Every structure is written in C-alpha cells, then in structure tokens.
Amino acid sequence: MTNAVDPQEFVAKVAAGLTAPGAPFEMTVEPVVGVPIPVFAKRYASLRELLEHSLRWGERDYLVTEDRRISFAEHAAAAGALATALAARYGIGKGDRVGILAANGPDWVIAFWAAQCLGAIPVGYNAWWAPREIAYGLEHATPTVVIADAKRAALLAETATELPILTMDEDLPALITEFGGGEIPSTPVAEDDPAVILYTSGTSGRPKGVVHSQRNMVAISDYHRFTDAMLAAFMGQEPGDAPSDRRYLVTAPLFHIASLHNLVIPRLRTGAAVVFPHGGFEVGRVLSLVESEKVTNWAAVPTMASRLLDHDVDQHDLSSLSALSLNSAPSSPALLAALRAKMPTLQFALTTSYGLTESGTAATVATPLDLAADDASVGRAIIGVAMEIRDAAGNAVGDGEEGEICIRSPYVMLGYWNDDAATKASIDDQRWLRSGDFGTLNQGRLTVSGRRTDLILRGGENVYPTEIENVLVEHPAVLDCAVFGMSHPDLGQEVAAIVVAEPGTVDPEELRAFVAERLAYFKVPVRWRITSDMLPRNATGKVIRRELAI
C-alpha cells in the first residue's frame, strides 16, 4: 500500500528546496526603496548584465518572425551599435527617455536594449494611440528621440512634434551599419533606478506612465527561471544553466508587461526564442506559425484563445504546443472547459493568472492543479509576492472575506512618472500596492470578484470611461454623457455610450468619427443611445452606472 502525496505539499517542498540557503534561488530580505522585502539573493543587478549574459547563447535564435531570424549574438551587436549611435549622434545618456512607438517586431526589442546600454529609459508608447494621445505621451515623458515604424512615423508627423524621429525601416539599419563593430556600451545604474515606462489608462482620464526599475525587471526574469526550475524538478531533473529549447509566441503588444517583461526579456537569461506573428491577430496564420516554428508556449488574452473555438485546429500540427496561459483579462470557467474540449492536448497545459501593469508580472498564477480544484480562481501568489485582502480602512480581512487586493513584491512598480499624488494613492509607505480590484482568498487561492471601478475590459485592453467621456463632452452638441461596458461574446466587453443632447443636433456616426479622431480605435464606442433625458446621478453628483442601459 502506498501513501498518497498531497500535490500542494509536494509543490511547497520543491519550492522550499530551490529557495533554501545556498540553493540556486536562495531568498533573502533586503531594502527595496527603503522597505525590507524578500528578494533572490543570487541575481544580476541590471538589465545590461542580462544582455551580457545573453552573449553565451551565441547563434541560437532569439527574435523570430515570418521573414527574419536574429540570433542572440546578432541582437546584442545591433543593440550595441544603436546605443553607440544614440549617444554619439543624439547625446542620449543616463536617465534620458527614448520613445518607442511601433508594432511588435525585432526592431522594437533592439531599441529597448540599446536604451539599456546607455542607462536611458525606454518609453513603450501604445501603438494604437491616435495623434492626440501620442502628443500627450510625448509631452508627458519628454523623450529625446522617438523610434517608430513607418505607420506611426506618419502619425507622429500629425502631432507636429519637433523631436527627432528615427524610422525602423530606414534610419535604424543605417545607424546600426554605420556604428557597428565596436564595444557594446555599458552605463552603471542602481537597482532601483528607472528601467522602463509603460502607459496604462488612468481613472482621471489621462494615461499614466508606470515606471519599473532595473530590480523589477531582473527579478521578473528570475521568477521565470524559478518556474522553469520547478518544472524541471517535477520531471526529476536538476536545475542547470543549459539553454532552453522552448519557443514562445508573442501575440500581445510589446508595450504591455505580458510580452515585454514576461516573454521577451527573460529569454536573454534562459536562451529560448520568441516568435512574432506579422500584422493583426488572425488565428489561422498564427497557428500556421506555431506549426512551422514549433512553438511550445503561448501567452494569450482570452479573446484570442476564444477564437480557437471557431477554427478548425486539426488542420495544423500543434503537437509542439505544451503550454497555453491566459492573461490580461479574466477567463471564465466556460472558456477553459471549451478550450479543453476543443484541444484535448491542453487538458493539463492551461493556466490563468491575475496581475496588472503596476504589479510588473502576474501576482497570482492558477496552475492546472489549481484549476482542477477551483476553475473560477486565478491561483496562488507567485514566488516573492505577498498578498492581502483589505477592507475600506486598510485592515487585512480573513479567509473568504471580500476586500481590495493588495500586493507587495520586488516586482511592483516604482511609481507613476511625474505623478507623486497618484503614486502615493496606489502604494503605501510599506510598498503595498492597492490594486483597486476586489476579491477573496480561500486557502491561498485568489478569486477576483470585481474589477476596478467602472473599468471596461475589451479584448485584453483596459478602457476607462472617464477618458472617453472627457472627449465626448468636447463636442458642442453634447450636454452630458456616460460611457460603460456591455457584454460581448468575443471581446468580453464592448464600449457603449449614452449621450445627452438636444433632439436632432447630433447622431451616432458623427460622434463615432469625433472620438475616432482623438482616441485609439478600441476606445471608440460601438453602441450608442442619444437622449434628451438627464442621466441618473447619486447625491454626490456621480452617475449611477448600474442604472445605465442601451
């Protein structure tokens, strides 16, 4: 007779062995922005050191597209040449911002690492922004130069900016050729120096620049190495320094943490490849790329995964795909069940997670083991993350009680760029991040019960009503308005708007065009109601959104 082993106890035992004193992932406590926080003891101190580490992977694939293949050695040389050019020709140095405005691709990644070589701060602008939003981003982060693809260079021209614009199709290849062949620059930085700025929508109606530090980014890479070591241990293998043969599909934008922080950057540490599809998401083309490039791991938003359900997946050889993680938006138990039924090979390969831009990486991950126990949860806190559920007074509540999800870890952002008030509202003096989301903890598993107030989750993109309302009220015919989300079978939610106007003064098509000129396409309402009736408001004058309908 054999004794049954509790799977969760086994996981905990393996993790304890990997993080014990002297072990590869030994944990210690050190000050992080002045607050004692558990961190990995054996770590690099900067992203530039990760780039140096990547040279050992030589001619192995790093960046792969349908028509380009760039090795780790080629990537490092290109990043070094571009860094030399940026310093020599544009005076870029430590702390300067380098804007990146482009669709996914190798040149985006090369630009990011070139900035790291100089101690500069890359700013990943949203590639779907309209010119007005781009102009705000330029004013807010004040980059010295902007690196853009052809499509976004044209949009930059509409902003009338006087900043130097370096195009990816012409300027970058010329600069890399001209300044290539030398040493890769290296500028000393501190662990808590800013390493990148990414934008997230803000409830105030303007995007906020989330600043992640060198420490944040390196720690996230080590977290991914730790999960690799855990998987190896489950298979009876010892953790080692050999390069990984995994190949990661990148379908989320590089201006999101899901792709940049958690897919592209950690591969310099592990020697694995990242694969970029061309153009917008088209399921048949993406699956063909999975087949041809033998993709093993795919991190998708639920909207993308749901499109597998309507596609004949049997026409593709997907035998290489061993892991599918659903990120950026909640995944319903029904979607998980449908995916398992559609693709039986994913039965024990599906994971979900919970996190936000400010948390740097997933705060929790639901493994197949967690989902088997509770497919409505988003799993347990990852290594290095402390999590509390707090009431309105900021006190931790008990198991099963609902409250605000609060997170502390070495992955949590430094703060918001040039916005001390917003930073103080989000992070307390003990470095606890208030997520603005609500949920419960049950036996260590998190269930999210409510998203940020009024937030619309459209196909993995965060859309805040205030930003759209602020644009709508600029129209001379609009007396009042309210924007909210409505259920959509594919996108999760779609954007709807109720506009108060005098009869006959405006129609939905005019308003749609008005918003489209000023905001990214995914923020433009697709459902409209124009009325002369006033909106329902509470005693403090706020719109009662739960009473809105179209």
Side-chain angles (χ1 to χ4, degrees):
M1 181 176 179
T2 58
N3 295 323
V5 177
D6 183 320
Q8 209 59 56
E9 286 185 9
F10 177 69
V11 170
K13 183 178 180 180
V14 172
L18 289 172
T19 58
F25 297 92
E26 177 185 349
M27 299 293 290
T28 187
V29 176
E30 294 182 9
V32 176
V33 198
V35 176
I37 290 178
V39 296
F40 291 111
K42 303 171 184 178
R43 64 185 187 273
Y44 284 131
S46 71
L47 286 171
R48 175 61 181 78
E49 292 183 14
L50 263 64
L51 182 64
E52 190 72 26
H53 180 96
S54 75
L55 292 173
R56 70 181 60 189
W57 311 131
E59 297 309 313
R60 292 179 64 87
D61 284 348
Y62 175 37
L63 307 172
V64 178
T65 71
E66 294 169 26
D67 55 9
R68 295 177 71 183
R69 195 172 298 273
I70 299 174
S71 71
F72 284 94
E74 290 167 336
H75 163 261
L82 181 57
T84 302
L86 291 174
R89 189 152 294 173
Y90 301 97
I92 303 295
K94 183 177 179 180
D96 292 330
R97 272 75 64 206
V98 176
I100 308 175
L101 182 64
N104 282 4
D107 294 314
W108 204 112
V109 180
I110 290 168
F112 173 88
W113 286 105
Q116 296 302 332
C117 292
L118 301 173
I121 307 169
V123 183
Y125 289 121
N126 190 317
W128 296 333
W129 274 354
R132 172 167 154 159
E133 294 166 298
I134 295 170
Y136 164 76
L138 299 179
E139 179 183 3
H140 182 254
T142 60
T144 303
V145 299
V146 181
I147 299 171
D149 58 21
K151 180 178 179 180
R152 280 79 190 182
L155 294 176
L156 281 160
E158 294 185 37
T159 70
T161 181
E162 296 182 357
L163 289 171
I165 309 300
L166 307 182
T167 60
M168 290 181 170
D169 56 340
E170 295 182 3
D171 294 328
L172 258 60
L175 289 170
I176 290 170
T177 298
E178 180 180 352
F179 289 88
E183 294 291 322
I184 300 174
S186 181
T187 301
V189 293
E191 285 192 273
D192 293 322
D193 280 349
V196 70
I197 300 171
L198 298 182
Y199 280 86
T200 184
S201 296
T203 53
S204 64
R206 286 295 189 106
K208 291 183 288 188
V210 174
V211 183
H212 287 120
S213 68
Q214 297 284 334
R215 183 196 301 275
N216 294 155
M217 311 287 273
V218 172
I220 291 166
S221 290
D222 284 335
Y223 152 64
H224 285 281
R225 290 178 55 241
F226 173 80
T227 61
D228 287 352
M230 289 283 289
L231 182 58
F234 296 154
M235 299 173 66
Q237 303 169 357
E238 292 293 326
D241 294 326
S244 170
D245 290 326
R246 295 196 184 105
R247 301 175 76 80
Y248 292 79
L249 184 68
V250 180
T251 50
L254 282 166
F255 53 80
H256 282 190
I257 63 167
S259 289
L260 182 62
H261 296 37
N262 292 280
L263 288 178
V264 171
I265 292 174
R267 306 293 74 85
L268 268 73
R269 200 70 168 85
T270 66
V274 289
V275 181
F276 297 97
H278 279 316
F281 182 80
E282 194 274 305
V283 65
R285 188 172 184 177
V286 166
L287 293 183
S288 293
L289 191 60
V290 170
E291 180 177 4
S292 64
E293 288 296 335
K294 304 300 181 187
V295 167
T296 59
N297 296 64
W298 180 15
V301 300
T303 298
M304 294 175 180
S306 69
R307 292 178 186 173
L308 294 172
L309 303 177
D310 299 321
H311 186 79
D312 181 11
V313 297
D314 292 334
Q315 64 182 295
H316 307 277
D317 178 3
L318 304 180
S319 58
S320 64
L321 189 62
S322 58
L324 175 62
S325 61
L326 303 183
N327 312 300
S328 301
S331 302
S332 69
L335 173 60
L336 296 174
L339 286 169
R340 293 189 189 103
K342 180 79 171 183
M343 303 176 66
T345 56
L346 296 178
Q347 189 72 24
F348 302 105
L350 274 174
T351 63
T352 66
S353 63
Y354 165 77
L356 53 159
T357 305
E358 289 86 344
S359 67
T361 185
T364 68
V365 171
T367 66
L369 185 65
D370 291 314
L371 293 173
D374 181 4
D375 61 4
S377 88
V378 289
R380 301 171 183 273
I382 68 168
I383 184 76
V385 168
M387 180 172 292
E388 289 184 354
I389 306 297
R390 295 181 173 181
D391 61 20
N395 301 311
V397 302
D399 221 40
E401 293 186 57
E402 186 177 85
E404 184 176 13
I405 302 165
C406 295
I407 302 159
R408 186 168 70 176
S409 79
Y411 320 122
V412 167
M413 68 170 183
L414 285 176
Y416 297 111
W417 184 258
N418 281 346
D419 198 335
D420 290 341
T423 299
K424 290 178 182 177
S426 295
I427 301 178
D428 69 17
D429 59 2
Q430 293 302 305
R431 296 291 299 166
W432 283 95
L433 171 68
R434 297 184 56 185
S435 72
D437 296 333
F438 294 85
T440 57
L441 279 172
N442 293 281
Q443 298 180 330
R445 293 190 186 92
L446 175 67
T447 301
V448 179
S449 54
R451 301 297 295 178
R452 298 176 192 85
T453 303
D454 305 330
L455 178 67
I456 302 168
L457 285 171
R458 181 200 179 279
E461 285 293 326
N462 292 349
V463 180
Y464 282 94
T466 302
E467 183 180 20
I468 306 168
E469 291 165 355
N470 288 348
V471 168
L472 278 171
V473 295
E474 294 179 15
H475 193 286
V478 174
L479 304 177
D480 200 0
C481 65
V483 172
F484 53 102
M486 297 189 69
S487 180
H488 188 279
D490 185 28
L491 298 171
Q493 287 183 299
E494 61 183 358
V495 184
I498 295 178
V499 171
V500 179
E502 294 295 334
T505 57
V506 72
D507 60 40
E509 288 302 318
E510 180 180 350
L511 291 173
R512 186 178 292 112
F514 184 83
V515 176
E517 289 177 358
R518 293 160 173 80
L519 296 177
Y521 77 92
F522 62 87
K523 301 175 185 177
V524 179
V526 295
R527 301 184 66 175
W528 298 83
R529 178 158 69 89
I530 299 177
T531 178
S532 57
D533 297 330
M534 300 307 295
L535 299 175
R537 295 181 180 273
N538 63 19
T540 62
K542 295 182 179 179
V543 173
I544 307 173
R545 294 181 188 274
R546 65 178 178 272
E547 296 183 10
L548 301 178
I550 289 182

